[in-house]
Amino acid sequence: MTLYIGREASKLWKRVCAEVTAEITLLSENWKYLLAGVIFQYIHGLAARGVHYLHRPGPLLQDVGFLLLPELGLDKAYISETLFTLIFISFFLWTFHPFILKSKRIYTVLVWCRVLAFLVASQILRIFTFYSTQLPGPNYHCREGSKLATLPRPDSALEVLLINFPRGIVYGCGDLIFSSHMIFTLVFVRTYQKYGTRRFIKQFAWLLAVIQSFLIVASRKHYTVDVIVAWYTVNLVVFFIDKKLPEMPDRTSGASLLLPLTSKDKDSRNKEENHKLLNGNSGDPTDRRQRTQVNGKNLEDGNTGHPDTAMNGV
C-alpha cells in the first residue's frame, strides 16, 4: 500500500512539473494579454465607482420581475452572493485541473486569456451602457434615505482611484445595465460548455446561471432588464469573439507537443516515425498529407496543407 501511494505520488509530481513547464512557456508568450485583462478589471471597478458619484436615488421603477418574484429581504440578500461565489471558485479551480488530472483539454494560461477577452469586451459595453443612463438603484443601500445612496464629492483623486475596495464594490450604486454578476457567470458557463468534459456539469451550470438570474432580481440588486440584457449581450459577445480567437490545441488525442516528453513517450514516437518512414510517410509528426504508393512512388495529395499547432490562445 505504501509502495503504491509512493508510486502514484511520484507520477503526480512528474505530471505537475511537466504541466508547470508547459504553462510557463505559454505564460512567457501571453503574459501581456493576461496583465491587460487584469488591469481592465480595476478600470471596470473604477468606472463603477465613478458612476456612484452620479447616482441619485428615487422611487423604484415598475418591474415585472419585482411583481412576480417575492422579495428576499435584506437578511437573505447573501444567498445570491453565495451562489455567485460558488460559481466563481468552482470555475477558477477547474481551470487549474490540468496540473493534477491526467485527462485534460485545456491549458490554464490559454483559457484565462480567452476568459479575460470575453470579460473585457462585455465590461466595455457595460461601462458605456450604465454611464449613458443612470437609473435609481433598487438595492437597499441605494434607495432614498440611505446614506450610501449618494457619495459626497471626493477630497482628492486618490480617494477615487482607491475605489474603497472592497466596500466600494459591494455597496456600489448606479452601475445597473447590465449585471456584472451575470457577465462573469455566463462567461464561465459558456467556457465550460465548450471545454468541459462532463455533460451533467454543463447542464447543471446552465441551471445555476438561471437560478442566479432569479436570485439577483429577488434580492433587488438589479432590475429585470439588467439581467435580460446581460443574457443576450454576453452570449453574443462570447460567440463573435470566440470565432476571432485562434483555437486552443486539443489535448484529448494524446500528449501535446507543448509538454515535455518522457523517455517512454520518446521511444513510442520514434517507433511511430520509423513505421511511417517504412510505409513511405514522412517522419515529421506535423506532416498530415495523404500519400499513396504507385509503382514504388509516393503520390501526395496537394490539396491537403500542414495544420499549424496553435501556441497562442489569443
Side-chain angles (χ1 to χ4, degrees):
M1 183 66 178
T2 305
L3 181 61
Y4 173 78
I5 295 176
R7 190 187 310 119
E8 291 300 316
S10 177
K11 290 181 180 179
L12 177 61
W13 176 249
K14 290 180 180 179
R15 192 180 305 136
V16 170
C17 291
E19 193 69 27
V20 167
T21 302
E23 295 289 352
I24 288 177
T25 301
L26 293 171
L27 183 61
S28 65
E29 299 175 355
N30 297 281
W31 66 270
K32 294 180 181 178
Y33 303 110
L34 293 173
L35 181 60
V38 172
I39 291 176
F40 193 84
Q41 299 312 299
Y42 167 75
I43 295 175
H44 175 254
L46 189 64
R49 178 68 171 177
V51 80
H52 195 166
Y53 288 99
L54 303 176
H55 177 257
R56 296 295 178 266
L60 292 182
L61 303 180
Q62 184 173 348
D63 189 280
V64 174
F66 291 0
L67 297 175
L68 298 178
L69 295 176
E71 189 171 348
L72 289 180
L74 187 59
D75 57 330
K76 297 180 181 178
Y78 68 91
I79 297 178
S80 64
E81 291 297 329
T82 302
L83 178 59
F84 175 75
T85 303
L86 174 65
I87 294 172
F88 188 97
I89 294 177
S90 299
F91 180 81
F92 182 83
L93 294 177
W94 170 76
T95 61
F96 285 89
H97 81 272
F99 288 88
I100 300 175
L101 301 182
K102 184 180 296 184
S103 59
K104 59 198 74 176
R105 288 188 62 187
I106 64 170
Y107 290 100
T108 302
V109 169
L110 299 186
V111 78
W112 274 108
C113 284
R114 302 180 80 86
V115 167
L116 287 171
F118 301 149
L119 290 176
V120 168
S122 300
Q123 289 167 340
I124 289 175
L125 295 176
R126 181 174 189 260
I127 291 172
F128 280 114
T129 305
F130 66 64
Y131 266 102
S132 299
T133 304
Q134 288 88 46
L135 304 178
N139 211 335
Y140 302 102
H141 62 269
C142 299
R143 299 178 182 179
E144 292 178 311
S146 173
K147 296 180 179 179
L148 300 174
T150 56
L151 293 179
R153 290 178 61 89
D155 297 328
S156 64
L158 184 61
E159 182 181 340
V160 179
L161 294 176
L162 292 178
I163 66 176
N164 193 21
F165 183 83
R167 185 178 176 83
I169 302 298
V170 176
Y171 293 99
C173 297
D175 56 327
L176 292 175
I177 302 177
F178 41 96
S179 171
S180 180
H181 284 63
M182 290 309 302
I183 290 178
F184 281 89
T185 299
L186 291 172
V187 166
F188 292 166
V189 172
R190 290 275 313 216
T191 303
Y192 187 82
Q193 176 70 31
K194 182 173 183 178
Y195 297 110
T197 56
R198 305 289 183 181
R199 183 180 179 184
F200 167 75
I201 298 180
K202 293 179 181 181
Q203 296 172 342
F204 185 64
W206 282 112
L207 176 62
L208 289 182
V210 173
I211 295 175
Q212 176 74 20
S213 303
F214 287 118
L215 288 176
I216 288 175
V217 177
S219 301
R220 303 303 188 253
K221 295 180 178 179
H222 279 278
Y223 292 107
T224 306
V225 65
D226 307 337
V227 175
I228 292 177
V229 171
W231 267 93
Y232 64 74
T233 302
V234 176
N235 277 293
L236 287 173
V237 166
V238 173
F239 175 78
F240 285 109
I241 292 185
D242 187 60
K243 286 185 172 296
K244 296 294 183 180
L245 297 177
E247 191 52 81
M248 288 196 298
D250 187 6
R251 308 184 68 178
T252 56
S253 58
S256 172
L257 297 176
L258 286 174
L259 294 174
L261 298 176
T262 63
S263 57
K264 186 175 181 180
D265 293 330
K266 290 180 180 179
D267 293 340
S268 176
R269 177 164 290 183
N270 289 335
K271 290 180 180 179
E272 182 181 353
E273 292 175 2
N274 291 334
H275 178 72
K276 289 180 178 180
L277 287 172
L278 291 174
N279 285 278
N281 292 333
S282 170
D284 184 1
T286 62
D287 191 354
R288 302 301 185 206
R289 290 176 296 181
Q290 299 295 325
R291 293 175 171 85
T292 306
Q293 285 191 341
V294 179
N295 296 326
K297 295 183 179 181
N298 292 328
L299 300 180
E300 296 183 352
D301 182 6
N303 295 325
T304 306
H306 295 270
D308 296 329
T309 302
M311 286 288 292
N312 227 331
V314 295

